[in-house]
PDB file of all heavy atoms in Angstrom:
ATOM      1  N   GLU G   1      -7.093   0.910   2.638  1.00 97.00           N
ATOM      2  CA  GLU G   1      -7.047  -0.488   3.050  1.00 97.00           C
ATOM      3  C   GLU G   1      -5.803  -0.778   3.900  1.00 97.00           C
ATOM      4  O   GLU G   1      -5.862  -1.579   4.834  1.00 97.00           O
ATOM      5  CB  GLU G   1      -7.054  -1.387   1.805  1.00 97.00           C
ATOM      6  CG  GLU G   1      -8.412  -1.502   1.132  1.00 97.00           C
ATOM      7  CD  GLU G   1      -9.326  -2.473   1.861  1.00 97.00           C
ATOM      8  OE1 GLU G   1      -8.827  -3.278   2.667  1.00 97.00           O
ATOM      9  OE2 GLU G   1     -10.546  -2.412   1.636  1.00 97.00           O
ATOM     10  N   THR G   2      -4.690  -0.133   3.581  1.00 98.00           N
ATOM     11  CA  THR G   2      -3.476  -0.320   4.371  1.00 98.00           C
ATOM     12  C   THR G   2      -3.690   0.150   5.801  1.00 98.00           C
ATOM     13  O   THR G   2      -3.291  -0.526   6.765  1.00 98.00           O
ATOM     14  CB  THR G   2      -2.296   0.435   3.730  1.00 98.00           C
ATOM     15  OG1 THR G   2      -2.013  -0.146   2.449  1.00 98.00           O
ATOM     16  CG2 THR G   2      -1.050   0.358   4.597  1.00 98.00           C
ATOM     17  N   GLU G   3      -4.327   1.287   5.949  1.00 98.00           N
ATOM     18  CA  GLU G   3      -4.596   1.790   7.305  1.00 98.00           C
ATOM     19  C   GLU G   3      -5.558   0.866   8.048  1.00 98.00           C
ATOM     20  O   GLU G   3      -5.373   0.591   9.242  1.00 98.00           O
ATOM     21  CB  GLU G   3      -5.164   3.203   7.256  1.00 98.00           C
ATOM     22  CG  GLU G   3      -5.385   3.800   8.631  1.00 98.00           C
ATOM     23  CD  GLU G   3      -5.662   5.284   8.606  1.00 98.00           C
ATOM     24  OE1 GLU G   3      -5.719   5.881   7.502  1.00 98.00           O
ATOM     25  OE2 GLU G   3      -5.836   5.864   9.695  1.00 98.00           O
ATOM     26  N   GLU G   4      -6.560   0.351   7.342  1.00 96.00           N
ATOM     27  CA  GLU G   4      -7.521  -0.546   7.982  1.00 96.00           C
ATOM     28  C   GLU G   4      -6.866  -1.869   8.385  1.00 96.00           C
ATOM     29  O   GLU G   4      -7.177  -2.425   9.435  1.00 96.00           O
ATOM     30  CB  GLU G   4      -8.699  -0.812   7.046  1.00 96.00           C
ATOM     31  CG  GLU G   4      -9.598   0.403   6.820  1.00 96.00           C
ATOM     32  CD  GLU G   4     -10.700   0.118   5.816  1.00 96.00           C
ATOM     33  OE1 GLU G   4     -10.810  -1.045   5.364  1.00 96.00           O
ATOM     34  OE2 GLU G   4     -11.440   1.049   5.465  1.00 96.00           O
ATOM     35  N   GLU G   5      -5.961  -2.373   7.559  1.00 96.00           N
ATOM     36  CA  GLU G   5      -5.370  -3.693   7.808  1.00 96.00           C
ATOM     37  C   GLU G   5      -4.235  -3.663   8.822  1.00 96.00           C
ATOM     38  O   GLU G   5      -4.155  -4.530   9.699  1.00 96.00           O
ATOM     39  CB  GLU G   5      -4.854  -4.296   6.495  1.00 96.00           C
ATOM     40  CG  GLU G   5      -5.940  -4.800   5.571  1.00 96.00           C
ATOM     41  CD  GLU G   5      -5.367  -5.496   4.350  1.00 96.00           C
ATOM     42  OE1 GLU G   5      -4.161  -5.852   4.371  1.00 96.00           O
ATOM     43  OE2 GLU G   5      -6.109  -5.673   3.373  1.00 96.00           O
ATOM     44  N   ILE G   6      -3.338  -2.674   8.699  1.00 97.00           N
ATOM     45  CA  ILE G   6      -2.145  -2.708   9.552  1.00 97.00           C
ATOM     46  C   ILE G   6      -1.945  -1.434  10.361  1.00 97.00           C
ATOM     47  O   ILE G   6      -0.954  -1.313  11.088  1.00 97.00           O
ATOM     48  CB  ILE G   6      -0.874  -3.022   8.732  1.00 97.00           C
ATOM     49  CG1 ILE G   6      -0.608  -1.933   7.692  1.00 97.00           C
ATOM     50  CG2 ILE G   6      -0.993  -4.390   8.072  1.00 97.00           C
ATOM     51  CD1 ILE G   6       0.720  -2.129   6.957  1.00 97.00           C
ATOM     52  N   GLY G   7      -2.862  -0.462  10.233  1.00 97.00           N
ATOM     53  CA  GLY G   7      -2.780   0.737  11.052  1.00 97.00           C
ATOM     54  C   GLY G   7      -1.757   1.758  10.594  1.00 97.00           C
ATOM     55  O   GLY G   7      -1.414   2.674  11.352  1.00 97.00           O
ATOM     56  N   LEU G   8      -1.240   1.629   9.370  1.00 98.00           N
ATOM     57  CA  LEU G   8      -0.281   2.593   8.835  1.00 98.00           C
ATOM     58  C   LEU G   8      -1.047   3.682   8.094  1.00 98.00           C
ATOM     59  O   LEU G   8      -1.715   3.409   7.099  1.00 98.00           O
ATOM     60  CB  LEU G   8       0.701   1.900   7.881  1.00 98.00           C
ATOM     61  CG  LEU G   8       1.800   2.785   7.301  1.00 98.00           C
ATOM     62  CD1 LEU G   8       2.834   3.122   8.379  1.00 98.00           C
ATOM     63  CD2 LEU G   8       2.471   2.095   6.119  1.00 98.00           C
ATOM     64  N   THR G   9      -0.962   4.916   8.557  1.00 96.00           N
ATOM     65  CA  THR G   9      -1.738   5.995   7.965  1.00 96.00           C
ATOM     66  C   THR G   9      -1.129   6.462   6.649  1.00 96.00           C
ATOM     67  O   THR G   9       0.082   6.367   6.434  1.00 96.00           O
ATOM     68  CB  THR G   9      -1.835   7.194   8.920  1.00 96.00           C
ATOM     69  OG1 THR G   9      -0.517   7.719   9.149  1.00 96.00           O
ATOM     70  CG2 THR G   9      -2.444   6.775  10.254  1.00 96.00           C
ATOM     71  N   GLY G  10      -1.985   6.978   5.785  1.00 96.00           N
ATOM     72  CA  GLY G  10      -1.541   7.436   4.481  1.00 96.00           C
ATOM     73  C   GLY G  10      -0.547   8.571   4.531  1.00 96.00           C
ATOM     74  O   GLY G  10       0.263   8.744   3.608  1.00 96.00           O
ATOM     75  N   GLN G  11      -0.572   9.371   5.632  1.00 96.00           N
ATOM     76  CA  GLN G  11       0.367  10.478   5.755  1.00 96.00           C
ATOM     77  C   GLN G  11       1.814  10.001   5.839  1.00 96.00           C
ATOM     78  O   GLN G  11       2.745  10.769   5.580  1.00 96.00           O
ATOM     79  CB  GLN G  11       0.046  11.320   6.989  1.00 96.00           C
ATOM     80  CG  GLN G  11      -1.263  12.102   6.889  1.00 96.00           C
ATOM     81  CD  GLN G  11      -2.454  11.302   7.372  1.00 96.00           C
ATOM     82  OE1 GLN G  11      -2.397  10.068   7.403  1.00 96.00           O
ATOM     83  NE2 GLN G  11      -3.523  11.982   7.748  1.00 96.00           N
ATOM     84  N   LEU G  12       2.014   8.735   6.190  1.00 97.00           N
ATOM     85  CA  LEU G  12       3.364   8.192   6.322  1.00 97.00           C
ATOM     86  C   LEU G  12       3.869   7.546   5.034  1.00 97.00           C
ATOM     87  O   LEU G  12       4.990   7.042   4.994  1.00 97.00           O
ATOM     88  CB  LEU G  12       3.402   7.159   7.460  1.00 97.00           C
ATOM     89  CG  LEU G  12       3.078   7.691   8.854  1.00 97.00           C
ATOM     90  CD1 LEU G  12       3.081   6.550   9.865  1.00 97.00           C
ATOM     91  CD2 LEU G  12       4.066   8.768   9.262  1.00 97.00           C
ATOM     92  N   VAL G  13       3.053   7.556   3.998  1.00 98.00           N
ATOM     93  CA  VAL G  13       3.395   6.883   2.745  1.00 98.00           C
ATOM     94  C   VAL G  13       3.611   7.909   1.640  1.00 98.00           C
ATOM     95  O   VAL G  13       2.742   8.749   1.387  1.00 98.00           O
ATOM     96  CB  VAL G  13       2.300   5.890   2.321  1.00 98.00           C
ATOM     97  CG1 VAL G  13       2.693   5.178   1.024  1.00 98.00           C
ATOM     98  CG2 VAL G  13       2.022   4.883   3.423  1.00 98.00           C
ATOM     99  N   GLU G  14       4.751   7.843   0.982  1.00 98.00           N
ATOM    100  CA  GLU G  14       5.041   8.689  -0.183  1.00 98.00           C
ATOM    101  C   GLU G  14       4.808   7.854  -1.442  1.00 98.00           C
ATOM    102  O   GLU G  14       5.621   7.006  -1.806  1.00 98.00           O
ATOM    103  CB  GLU G  14       6.482   9.186  -0.133  1.00 98.00           C
ATOM    104  CG  GLU G  14       6.879  10.021  -1.344  1.00 98.00           C
ATOM    105  CD  GLU G  14       8.372  10.301  -1.408  1.00 98.00           C
ATOM    106  OE1 GLU G  14       9.108   9.882  -0.488  1.00 98.00           O
ATOM    107  OE2 GLU G  14       8.808  10.910  -2.409  1.00 98.00           O
ATOM    108  N   VAL G  15       3.679   8.072  -2.101  1.00 98.00           N
ATOM    109  CA  VAL G  15       3.364   7.330  -3.328  1.00 98.00           C
ATOM    110  C   VAL G  15       4.287   7.825  -4.448  1.00 98.00           C
ATOM    111  O   VAL G  15       4.375   9.027  -4.713  1.00 98.00           O
ATOM    112  CB  VAL G  15       1.889   7.506  -3.718  1.00 98.00           C
ATOM    113  CG1 VAL G  15       1.616   6.870  -5.085  1.00 98.00           C
ATOM    114  CG2 VAL G  15       0.983   6.891  -2.659  1.00 98.00           C
ATOM    115  N   VAL G  16       4.966   6.878  -5.103  1.00 98.00           N
ATOM    116  CA  VAL G  16       5.961   7.261  -6.117  1.00 98.00           C
ATOM    117  C   VAL G  16       5.671   6.705  -7.508  1.00 98.00           C
ATOM    118  O   VAL G  16       6.180   7.230  -8.498  1.00 98.00           O
ATOM    119  CB  VAL G  16       7.383   6.843  -5.679  1.00 98.00           C
ATOM    120  CG1 VAL G  16       7.786   7.592  -4.414  1.00 98.00           C
ATOM    121  CG2 VAL G  16       7.498   5.337  -5.488  1.00 98.00           C
ATOM    122  N   ASP G  17       4.870   5.645  -7.618  1.00 98.00           N
ATOM    123  CA  ASP G  17       4.649   5.060  -8.949  1.00 98.00           C
ATOM    124  C   ASP G  17       3.552   4.006  -8.860  1.00 98.00           C
ATOM    125  O   ASP G  17       3.021   3.720  -7.774  1.00 98.00           O
ATOM    126  CB  ASP G  17       5.929   4.426  -9.479  1.00 98.00           C
ATOM    127  CG  ASP G  17       6.011   4.443 -11.003  1.00 98.00           C
ATOM    128  OD1 ASP G  17       4.970   4.677 -11.655  1.00 98.00           O
ATOM    129  OD2 ASP G  17       7.109   4.215 -11.545  1.00 98.00           O
ATOM    130  N   HIS G  18       3.228   3.444 -10.018  1.00 97.00           N
ATOM    131  CA  HIS G  18       2.275   2.341 -10.116  1.00 97.00           C
ATOM    132  C   HIS G  18       2.909   1.211 -10.909  1.00 97.00           C
ATOM    133  O   HIS G  18       3.781   1.450 -11.750  1.00 97.00           O
ATOM    134  CB  HIS G  18       0.986   2.769 -10.837  1.00 97.00           C
ATOM    135  CG  HIS G  18       0.323   3.962 -10.240  1.00 97.00           C
ATOM    136  ND1 HIS G  18       0.709   5.251 -10.521  1.00 97.00           N
ATOM    137  CD2 HIS G  18      -0.703   4.051  -9.370  1.00 97.00           C
ATOM    138  CE1 HIS G  18      -0.050   6.086  -9.854  1.00 97.00           C
ATOM    139  NE2 HIS G  18      -0.909   5.393  -9.144  1.00 97.00           N
ATOM    140  N   LEU G  19       2.465   0.003 -10.655  1.00 97.00           N
ATOM    141  CA  LEU G  19       2.853  -1.144 -11.474  1.00 97.00           C
ATOM    142  C   LEU G  19       1.680  -1.522 -12.363  1.00 97.00           C
ATOM    143  O   LEU G  19       0.576  -0.973 -12.243  1.00 97.00           O
ATOM    144  CB  LEU G  19       3.258  -2.318 -10.576  1.00 97.00           C
ATOM    145  CG  LEU G  19       4.499  -2.088  -9.712  1.00 97.00           C
ATOM    146  CD1 LEU G  19       4.659  -3.210  -8.699  1.00 97.00           C
ATOM    147  CD2 LEU G  19       5.748  -1.967 -10.576  1.00 97.00           C
ATOM    148  N   ASN G  20       1.906  -2.465 -13.251  1.00 97.00           N
ATOM    149  CA  ASN G  20       0.839  -2.916 -14.132  1.00 97.00           C
ATOM    150  C   ASN G  20      -0.300  -3.554 -13.328  1.00 97.00           C
ATOM    151  O   ASN G  20      -0.056  -4.240 -12.324  1.00 97.00           O
ATOM    152  CB  ASN G  20       1.362  -3.954 -15.131  1.00 97.00           C
ATOM    153  CG  ASN G  20       2.275  -3.346 -16.171  1.00 97.00           C
ATOM    154  OD1 ASN G  20       2.237  -2.149 -16.432  1.00 97.00           O
ATOM    155  ND2 ASN G  20       3.117  -4.175 -16.762  1.00 97.00           N
ATOM    156  N   ASP G  21      -1.516  -3.331 -13.780  1.00 97.00           N
ATOM    157  CA  ASP G  21      -2.653  -4.019 -13.176  1.00 97.00           C
ATOM    158  C   ASP G  21      -2.443  -5.527 -13.245  1.00 97.00           C
ATOM    159  O   ASP G  21      -1.858  -6.045 -14.202  1.00 97.00           O
ATOM    160  CB  ASP G  21      -3.946  -3.663 -13.906  1.00 97.00           C
ATOM    161  CG  ASP G  21      -4.419  -2.247 -13.594  1.00 97.00           C
ATOM    162  OD1 ASP G  21      -3.876  -1.612 -12.672  1.00 97.00           O
ATOM    163  OD2 ASP G  21      -5.332  -1.790 -14.287  1.00 97.00           O
ATOM    164  N   TYR G  22      -2.944  -6.213 -12.234  1.00 96.00           N
ATOM    165  CA  TYR G  22      -2.762  -7.660 -12.150  1.00 96.00           C
ATOM    166  C   TYR G  22      -4.120  -8.317 -11.958  1.00 96.00           C
ATOM    167  O   TYR G  22      -4.869  -7.964 -11.047  1.00 96.00           O
ATOM    168  CB  TYR G  22      -1.838  -8.006 -10.972  1.00 96.00           C
ATOM    169  CG  TYR G  22      -1.404  -9.454 -10.936  1.00 96.00           C
ATOM    170  CD1 TYR G  22      -0.224  -9.861 -11.546  1.00 96.00           C
ATOM    171  CD2 TYR G  22      -2.180 -10.415 -10.300  1.00 96.00           C
ATOM    172  CE1 TYR G  22       0.180 -11.183 -11.526  1.00 96.00           C
ATOM    173  CE2 TYR G  22      -1.786 -11.736 -10.279  1.00 96.00           C
ATOM    174  CZ  TYR G  22      -0.604 -12.116 -10.888  1.00 96.00           C
ATOM    175  OH  TYR G  22      -0.218 -13.429 -10.872  1.00 96.00           O
ATOM    176  N   VAL G  23      -4.439  -9.282 -12.840  1.00 94.00           N
ATOM    177  CA  VAL G  23      -5.708  -9.990 -12.754  1.00 94.00           C
ATOM    178  C   VAL G  23      -5.540 -11.220 -11.863  1.00 94.00           C
ATOM    179  O   VAL G  23      -4.678 -12.061 -12.106  1.00 94.00           O
ATOM    180  CB  VAL G  23      -6.204 -10.422 -14.152  1.00 94.00           C
ATOM    181  CG1 VAL G  23      -7.495 -11.229 -14.032  1.00 94.00           C
ATOM    182  CG2 VAL G  23      -6.417  -9.200 -15.039  1.00 94.00           C
ATOM    183  N   VAL G  24      -6.355 -11.296 -10.828  1.00 89.00           N
ATOM    184  CA  VAL G  24      -6.317 -12.411  -9.888  1.00 89.00           C
ATOM    185  C   VAL G  24      -7.408 -13.407 -10.257  1.00 89.00           C
ATOM    186  O   VAL G  24      -8.505 -13.030 -10.677  1.00 89.00           O
ATOM    187  CB  VAL G  24      -6.514 -11.902  -8.433  1.00 89.00           C
ATOM    188  CG1 VAL G  24      -6.423 -13.046  -7.443  1.00 89.00           C
ATOM    189  CG2 VAL G  24      -5.471 -10.849  -8.114  1.00 89.00           C
ATOM    190  N   GLY G  25      -7.106 -14.685 -10.088  1.00 82.00           N
ATOM    191  CA  GLY G  25      -8.042 -15.740 -10.476  1.00 82.00           C
ATOM    192  C   GLY G  25      -9.374 -15.675  -9.760  1.00 82.00           C
ATOM    193  O   GLY G  25     -10.377 -16.220 -10.240  1.00 82.00           O
ATOM    194  N   THR G  26      -9.419 -15.015  -8.604  1.00 82.00           N
ATOM    195  CA  THR G  26     -10.677 -14.889  -7.862  1.00 82.00           C
ATOM    196  C   THR G  26     -11.559 -13.765  -8.393  1.00 82.00           C
ATOM    197  O   THR G  26     -12.610 -13.485  -7.819  1.00 82.00           O
ATOM    198  CB  THR G  26     -10.401 -14.656  -6.373  1.00 82.00           C
ATOM    199  OG1 THR G  26      -9.418 -13.613  -6.225  1.00 82.00           O
ATOM    200  CG2 THR G  26      -9.875 -15.918  -5.717  1.00 82.00           C
ATOM    201  N   GLY G  27     -11.128 -13.106  -9.491  1.00 89.00           N
ATOM    202  CA  GLY G  27     -11.997 -12.143 -10.155  1.00 89.00           C
ATOM    203  C   GLY G  27     -11.698 -10.684  -9.870  1.00 89.00           C
ATOM    204  O   GLY G  27     -12.526  -9.815 -10.163  1.00 89.00           O
ATOM    205  N   PHE G  28     -10.516 -10.389  -9.339  1.00 92.00           N
ATOM    206  CA  PHE G  28     -10.161  -9.009  -9.026  1.00 92.00           C
ATOM    207  C   PHE G  28      -9.148  -8.461 -10.032  1.00 92.00           C
ATOM    208  O   PHE G  28      -8.269  -9.180 -10.507  1.00 92.00           O
ATOM    209  CB  PHE G  28      -9.566  -8.911  -7.620  1.00 92.00           C
ATOM    210  CG  PHE G  28     -10.562  -9.141  -6.520  1.00 92.00           C
ATOM    211  CD1 PHE G  28     -10.748 -10.411  -5.993  1.00 92.00           C
ATOM    212  CD2 PHE G  28     -11.322  -8.098  -6.024  1.00 92.00           C
ATOM    213  CE1 PHE G  28     -11.663 -10.640  -4.990  1.00 92.00           C
ATOM    214  CE2 PHE G  28     -12.245  -8.314  -5.015  1.00 92.00           C
ATOM    215  CZ  PHE G  28     -12.420  -9.583  -4.492  1.00 92.00           C
ATOM    216  N   LEU G  29      -9.290  -7.182 -10.334  1.00 96.00           N
ATOM    217  CA  LEU G  29      -8.300  -6.451 -11.122  1.00 96.00           C
ATOM    218  C   LEU G  29      -7.559  -5.544 -10.148  1.00 96.00           C
ATOM    219  O   LEU G  29      -8.095  -4.542  -9.675  1.00 96.00           O
ATOM    220  CB  LEU G  29      -8.973  -5.619 -12.213  1.00 96.00           C
ATOM    221  CG  LEU G  29      -8.036  -4.823 -13.124  1.00 96.00           C
ATOM    222  CD1 LEU G  29      -7.205  -5.768 -13.992  1.00 96.00           C
ATOM    223  CD2 LEU G  29      -8.811  -3.857 -14.000  1.00 96.00           C
ATOM    224  N   VAL G  30      -6.319  -5.919  -9.834  1.00 97.00           N
ATOM    225  CA  VAL G  30      -5.573  -5.270  -8.754  1.00 97.00           C
ATOM    226  C   VAL G  30      -4.618  -4.224  -9.325  1.00 97.00           C
ATOM    227  O   VAL G  30      -3.816  -4.517 -10.214  1.00 97.00           O
ATOM    228  CB  VAL G  30      -4.780  -6.308  -7.936  1.00 97.00           C
ATOM    229  CG1 VAL G  30      -3.982  -5.617  -6.829  1.00 97.00           C
ATOM    230  CG2 VAL G  30      -5.717  -7.348  -7.349  1.00 97.00           C
ATOM    231  N   SER G  31      -4.701  -3.011  -8.788  1.00 98.00           N
ATOM    232  CA  SER G  31      -3.785  -1.937  -9.159  1.00 98.00           C
ATOM    233  C   SER G  31      -2.731  -1.782  -8.069  1.00 98.00           C
ATOM    234  O   SER G  31      -3.055  -1.347  -6.959  1.00 98.00           O
ATOM    235  CB  SER G  31      -4.547  -0.615  -9.326  1.00 98.00           C
ATOM    236  OG  SER G  31      -5.495  -0.698 -10.352  1.00 98.00           O
ATOM    237  N   PRO G  32      -1.480  -2.143  -8.328  1.00 98.00           N
ATOM    238  CA  PRO G  32      -0.425  -1.991  -7.319  1.00 98.00           C
ATOM    239  C   PRO G  32       0.123  -0.564  -7.304  1.00 98.00           C
ATOM    240  O   PRO G  32       0.461   0.007  -8.348  1.00 98.00           O
ATOM    241  CB  PRO G  32       0.653  -2.984  -7.769  1.00 98.00           C
ATOM    242  CG  PRO G  32       0.014  -3.805  -8.875  1.00 98.00           C
ATOM    243  CD  PRO G  32      -1.011  -2.916  -9.488  1.00 98.00           C
ATOM    244  N   VAL G  33       0.207   0.001  -6.124  1.00 98.00           N
ATOM    245  CA  VAL G  33       0.689   1.364  -5.918  1.00 98.00           C
ATOM    246  C   VAL G  33       1.989   1.287  -5.103  1.00 98.00           C
ATOM    247  O   VAL G  33       1.990   0.716  -4.012  1.00 98.00           O
ATOM    248  CB  VAL G  33      -0.357   2.204  -5.172  1.00 98.00           C
ATOM    249  CG1 VAL G  33       0.162   3.606  -4.886  1.00 98.00           C
ATOM    250  CG2 VAL G  33      -1.670   2.261  -5.957  1.00 98.00           C
ATOM    251  N   ILE G  34       3.075   1.827  -5.622  1.00 98.00           N
ATOM    252  CA  ILE G  34       4.354   1.794  -4.918  1.00 98.00           C
ATOM    253  C   ILE G  34       4.463   3.010  -4.006  1.00 98.00           C
ATOM    254  O   ILE G  34       4.233   4.148  -4.433  1.00 98.00           O
ATOM    255  CB  ILE G  34       5.542   1.801  -5.893  1.00 98.00           C
ATOM    256  CG1 ILE G  34       5.432   0.640  -6.890  1.00 98.00           C
ATOM    257  CG2 ILE G  34       6.866   1.712  -5.140  1.00 98.00           C
ATOM    258  CD1 ILE G  34       6.495   0.675  -7.971  1.00 98.00           C
ATOM    259  N   GLY G  35       4.822   2.770  -2.739  1.00 98.00           N
ATOM    260  CA  GLY G  35       4.987   3.869  -1.804  1.00 98.00           C
ATOM    261  C   GLY G  35       6.167   3.653  -0.886  1.00 98.00           C
ATOM    262  O   GLY G  35       6.429   2.529  -0.442  1.00 98.00           O
ATOM    263  N   PHE G  36       6.891   4.731  -0.596  1.00 98.00           N
ATOM    264  CA  PHE G  36       8.006   4.668   0.347  1.00 98.00           C
ATOM    265  C   PHE G  36       7.538   5.053   1.744  1.00 98.00           C
ATOM    266  O   PHE G  36       6.697   5.948   1.911  1.00 98.00           O
ATOM    267  CB  PHE G  36       9.143   5.597  -0.083  1.00 98.00           C
ATOM    268  CG  PHE G  36      10.167   4.933  -0.956  1.00 98.00           C
ATOM    269  CD1 PHE G  36      10.097   5.056  -2.335  1.00 98.00           C
ATOM    270  CD2 PHE G  36      11.186   4.180  -0.394  1.00 98.00           C
ATOM    271  CE1 PHE G  36      11.042   4.448  -3.146  1.00 98.00           C
ATOM    272  CE2 PHE G  36      12.135   3.558  -1.189  1.00 98.00           C
ATOM    273  CZ  PHE G  36      12.066   3.689  -2.565  1.00 98.00           C
ATOM    274  N   ILE G  37       8.094   4.369   2.740  1.00 98.00           N
ATOM    275  CA  ILE G  37       7.802   4.644   4.141  1.00 98.00           C
ATOM    276  C   ILE G  37       9.121   4.942   4.840  1.00 98.00           C
ATOM    277  O   ILE G  37      10.100   4.197   4.686  1.00 98.00           O
ATOM    278  CB  ILE G  37       7.119   3.442   4.823  1.00 98.00           C
ATOM    279  CG1 ILE G  37       5.898   2.986   4.029  1.00 98.00           C
ATOM    280  CG2 ILE G  37       6.735   3.780   6.262  1.00 98.00           C
ATOM    281  CD1 ILE G  37       5.361   1.644   4.475  1.00 98.00           C
ATOM    282  N   GLU G  38       9.141   6.016   5.602  1.00 98.00           N
ATOM    283  CA  GLU G  38      10.334   6.383   6.364  1.00 98.00           C
ATOM    284  C   GLU G  38      10.157   5.909   7.809  1.00 98.00           C
ATOM    285  O   GLU G  38       9.203   6.302   8.484  1.00 98.00           O
ATOM    286  CB  GLU G  38      10.551   7.900   6.332  1.00 98.00           C
ATOM    287  CG  GLU G  38      10.823   8.471   4.946  1.00 98.00           C
ATOM    288  CD  GLU G  38      12.166   8.051   4.382  1.00 98.00           C
ATOM    289  OE1 GLU G  38      13.068   7.726   5.181  1.00 98.00           O
ATOM    290  OE2 GLU G  38      12.303   8.057   3.140  1.00 98.00           O
ATOM    291  N   PRO G  39      11.072   5.066   8.300  1.00 97.00           N
ATOM    292  CA  PRO G  39      11.005   4.668   9.708  1.00 97.00           C
ATOM    293  C   PRO G  39      11.456   5.829  10.609  1.00 97.00           C
ATOM    294  O   PRO G  39      12.150   6.734  10.142  1.00 97.00           O
ATOM    295  CB  PRO G  39      11.971   3.482   9.783  1.00 97.00           C
ATOM    296  CG  PRO G  39      12.869   3.621   8.603  1.00 97.00           C
ATOM    297  CD  PRO G  39      12.141   4.405   7.556  1.00 97.00           C
ATOM    298  N   PRO G  40      11.039   5.801  11.875  1.00 96.00           N
ATOM    299  CA  PRO G  40      10.245   4.750  12.536  1.00 96.00           C
ATOM    300  C   PRO G  40       8.750   4.955  12.308  1.00 96.00           C
ATOM    301  O   PRO G  40       8.309   6.060  12.012  1.00 96.00           O
ATOM    302  CB  PRO G  40      10.603   4.945  14.012  1.00 96.00           C
ATOM    303  CG  PRO G  40      10.840   6.427  14.122  1.00 96.00           C
ATOM    304  CD  PRO G  40      11.479   6.840  12.831  1.00 96.00           C
ATOM    305  N   PHE G  41       7.997   3.889  12.430  1.00 96.00           N
ATOM    306  CA  PHE G  41       6.538   3.958  12.322  1.00 96.00           C
ATOM    307  C   PHE G  41       5.958   2.853  13.185  1.00 96.00           C
ATOM    308  O   PHE G  41       6.601   1.852  13.469  1.00 96.00           O
ATOM    309  CB  PHE G  41       6.082   3.806  10.861  1.00 96.00           C
ATOM    310  CG  PHE G  41       6.650   2.603  10.173  1.00 96.00           C
ATOM    311  CD1 PHE G  41       6.009   1.367  10.250  1.00 96.00           C
ATOM    312  CD2 PHE G  41       7.818   2.692   9.433  1.00 96.00           C
ATOM    313  CE1 PHE G  41       6.527   0.248   9.617  1.00 96.00           C
ATOM    314  CE2 PHE G  41       8.348   1.580   8.790  1.00 96.00           C
ATOM    315  CZ  PHE G  41       7.700   0.357   8.879  1.00 96.00           C
ATOM    316  N   LEU G  42       4.724   3.052  13.599  1.00 96.00           N
ATOM    317  CA  LEU G  42       4.028   2.071  14.427  1.00 96.00           C
ATOM    318  C   LEU G  42       2.917   1.421  13.622  1.00 96.00           C
ATOM    319  O   LEU G  42       2.252   2.076  12.812  1.00 96.00           O
ATOM    320  CB  LEU G  42       3.446   2.741  15.675  1.00 96.00           C
ATOM    321  CG  LEU G  42       4.458   3.314  16.677  1.00 96.00           C
ATOM    322  CD1 LEU G  42       3.716   4.028  17.804  1.00 96.00           C
ATOM    323  CD2 LEU G  42       5.342   2.206  17.234  1.00 96.00           C
ATOM    324  N   LEU G  43       2.708   0.135  13.849  1.00 97.00           N
ATOM    325  CA  LEU G  43       1.650  -0.613  13.166  1.00 97.00           C
ATOM    326  C   LEU G  43       0.660  -1.139  14.190  1.00 97.00           C
ATOM    327  O   LEU G  43       1.001  -1.404  15.340  1.00 97.00           O
ATOM    328  CB  LEU G  43       2.243  -1.779  12.369  1.00 97.00           C
ATOM    329  CG  LEU G  43       3.275  -1.422  11.301  1.00 97.00           C
ATOM    330  CD1 LEU G  43       3.794  -2.685  10.641  1.00 97.00           C
ATOM    331  CD2 LEU G  43       2.686  -0.473  10.258  1.00 97.00           C
ATOM    332  N   ASN G  44      -0.569  -1.297  13.732  1.00 96.00           N
ATOM    333  CA  ASN G  44      -1.629  -1.865  14.576  1.00 96.00           C
ATOM    334  C   ASN G  44      -2.465  -2.809  13.716  1.00 96.00           C
ATOM    335  O   ASN G  44      -3.552  -2.458  13.262  1.00 96.00           O
ATOM    336  CB  ASN G  44      -2.495  -0.751  15.161  1.00 96.00           C
ATOM    337  CG  ASN G  44      -3.555  -1.290  16.105  1.00 96.00           C
ATOM    338  OD1 ASN G  44      -3.407  -2.367  16.697  1.00 96.00           O
ATOM    339  ND2 ASN G  44      -4.655  -0.544  16.242  1.00 96.00           N
ATOM    340  N   PRO G  45      -1.963  -4.030  13.464  1.00 95.00           N
ATOM    341  CA  PRO G  45      -2.645  -4.944  12.530  1.00 95.00           C
ATOM    342  C   PRO G  45      -4.030  -5.356  13.018  1.00 95.00           C
ATOM    343  O   PRO G  45      -4.264  -5.528  14.215  1.00 95.00           O
ATOM    344  CB  PRO G  45      -1.699  -6.155  12.485  1.00 95.00           C
ATOM    345  CG  PRO G  45      -0.392  -5.659  12.993  1.00 95.00           C
ATOM    346  CD  PRO G  45      -0.716  -4.587  13.980  1.00 95.00           C
TER     347      PRO G  45
END
């Protein structure tokens, strides 16, 4: 979804951890994934 939304490819993201799932009032159970990005990088929103 990150690549689709802002053009940042997964190869540029170092996944390091997860946060607690978060329930959104619109009916979604969201899993937050923490990732580090090393600049420079290009975005294409």
Side-chain angles (χ1 to χ4, degrees):
E1 285 281 343
T2 295
E3 183 168 2
E4 291 176 4
E5 286 185 16
I6 62 174
L8 183 72
T9 63
Q11 291 88 338
L12 298 177
V13 181
E14 177 190 358
V15 173
V16 296
D17 209 345
H18 305 82
L19 296 170
N20 289 338
D21 286 349
Y22 190 92
V23 177
V24 182
T26 48
F28 290 92
L29 181 67
V30 179
S31 298
V33 177
I34 304 174
F36 269 97
I37 307 168
E38 297 291 336
F41 52 87
L42 295 176
L43 302 178
N44 183 25

